[in-house]
Amino acid sequence: MRVGAHVSVAGGVDNAVDNQRDVGGNCGQIFTHSPQVWQHPNVDDDEAAAFREGTAAHLDGPWVIHSSYLVNLCTPKTDLREKSIDSMQREVDAAEELGIEYVNVHLGAHTGAGVEGGLDNAASALDELDVPEGVTVLVESDAGSGTKLGGEFEHLAAVRDRCDHDLGVCLDTAHAFAAGYDLSTPEGVDRVVAEFDDVVGVDDLHCIHLNDSKHACGTNKDEHAHVGEGEIGVDGMRRIVNHPDLRDLPFVLETPTEDGKGFAWNVDRVHGLRE
């Protein structure tokens, strides 16, 4: 089973390997820099080599780089679009340097361009990237508030279909639940996976952000909970990690650190749900 967490790179990106091992993970996700500012990935050659060597020696993989929260691929604003493309280019280049397979990105908000306009903007922005061989960009499902896109599976499929690159998809369970896809029962999980397969195709699903939700289905509220302790609950989470179309995918936790529980507790919880 491949399960891990989004861990810190404080002190050097190579520290992520030990941070992942400390929580019991064997795959995972990182930011290459603070996600709240426009900043270039801070990776030197020695750190990159140590990261690659540590990963090969101790982890199963894969790793995912999560792009900056400031990136907005759907925007109609020229300056923000250019900054977003530049940021994404630097992330895919960092992924190549680190030997990381995936760069994950939210589509962003169309802010008045309309759904179709926003989806076109996102696809054409991604087309501007020079994606290195061995790196795949994943578009992530969203909770769907305001003018943000990605809350509907159709949005993910549309960008995938309109883009010249071979994009993949990352499904965030808390986001999908908040967007109205009910994952709280085994039957619900089966229905959602079948719908995803019909609209997007499970062959293009490369990663799952495994998060429970503090808010009810369809509320569009994005707040993560510990695995099995939110509104999705134990039954839904158990089916997700055991569903035949999902069980072999990497599960990456973005769960909170609160109530005396952190990533290690959640990794153990996921293993305990495995059948």
Side-chain angles (χ1 to χ4, degrees):
M1 185 179 191
R2 293 182 292 171
V3 58
H6 184 125
V7 295
S8 172
V9 298
V13 68
D14 51 316
N15 289 333
V17 175
D18 285 340
N19 292 339
Q20 193 64 251
R21 296 176 70 196
D22 286 345
V23 300
N26 57 15
C27 65
Q29 182 173 267
I30 59 171
F31 292 123
T32 60
H33 57 83
S34 170
Q36 306 287 0
V37 296
W38 294 113
Q39 184 177 333
H40 297 166
N42 184 21
V43 179
D44 67 33
D45 292 344
D46 290 341
E47 290 175 4
F51 177 90
R52 293 192 302 268
E53 291 164 6
T55 295
H58 301 295
L59 303 177
D60 296 327
W63 283 104
V64 181
I65 291 175
H66 196 301
S67 64
S68 169
Y69 292 142
L70 300 181
V71 168
N72 186 349
L73 300 175
C74 294
T75 183
K77 300 176 182 177
T78 302
D79 57 341
L80 179 54
R81 175 185 171 88
E82 290 175 352
K83 286 181 177 179
S84 298
I85 293 170
D86 178 65
S87 179
M88 284 296 295
Q89 185 63 57
R90 294 179 186 277
E91 299 288 21
V92 297
D93 289 343
E96 180 183 37
E97 183 178 10
L98 293 167
I100 290 178
E101 276 184 68
Y102 300 118
V103 174
N104 181 74
V105 64
H106 297 273
L107 295 179
H110 68 69
T111 61
V115 172
E116 291 303 315
L119 296 173
D120 282 341
N121 289 343
S124 63
L126 291 168
D127 278 341
E128 295 290 322
L129 301 179
D130 181 10
V131 181
E133 186 176 354
V135 176
T136 300
V137 174
L138 305 181
V139 290
E140 180 180 343
S141 62
D142 197 88
S145 60
T147 65
K148 290 182 179 178
L149 300 181
E152 299 177 21
F153 294 159
E154 286 80 3
H155 297 168
L156 305 174
V159 173
R160 187 268 320 271
D161 292 344
R162 297 176 196 185
C163 184
D164 290 336
H165 293 299
D166 291 328
L167 303 178
V169 172
C170 172
L171 179 66
D172 186 304
T173 54
H175 294 173
F177 187 73
Y181 296 96
D182 192 351
L183 298 165
S184 62
T185 65
E187 298 78 14
V189 171
D190 291 349
R191 285 193 295 270
V192 171
V193 173
E195 182 174 353
F196 183 93
D197 190 33
D198 184 57
V199 175
V200 180
V202 293
D203 288 346
D204 284 336
L205 181 59
H206 293 269
C207 179
I208 293 178
H209 283 170
L210 190 67
N211 305 302
D212 212 322
S213 173
K214 290 187 177 181
H215 301 283
C217 183
T219 58
N220 302 121
K221 293 181 178 180
D222 178 13
E223 193 173 3
H224 299 178
H226 296 303
V227 171
E229 297 204 341
E231 295 292 322
I232 295 177
V234 172
D235 290 344
M237 283 290 174
R238 179 181 289 113
R239 182 55 178 163
I240 290 167
V241 301
N242 290 291
H243 190 286
D245 287 336
L246 309 181
R247 61 182 288 123
D248 293 332
L249 293 169
F251 295 99
V252 175
L253 300 165
E254 299 172 323
T255 46
T257 299
E258 60 187 18
D259 302 326
K261 301 167 184 174
F263 286 140
W265 185 93
N266 282 278
V267 169
D268 285 344
R269 185 65 178 268
V270 174
H271 281 293
L273 295 175
R274 189 67 163 215
E275 297 171 348

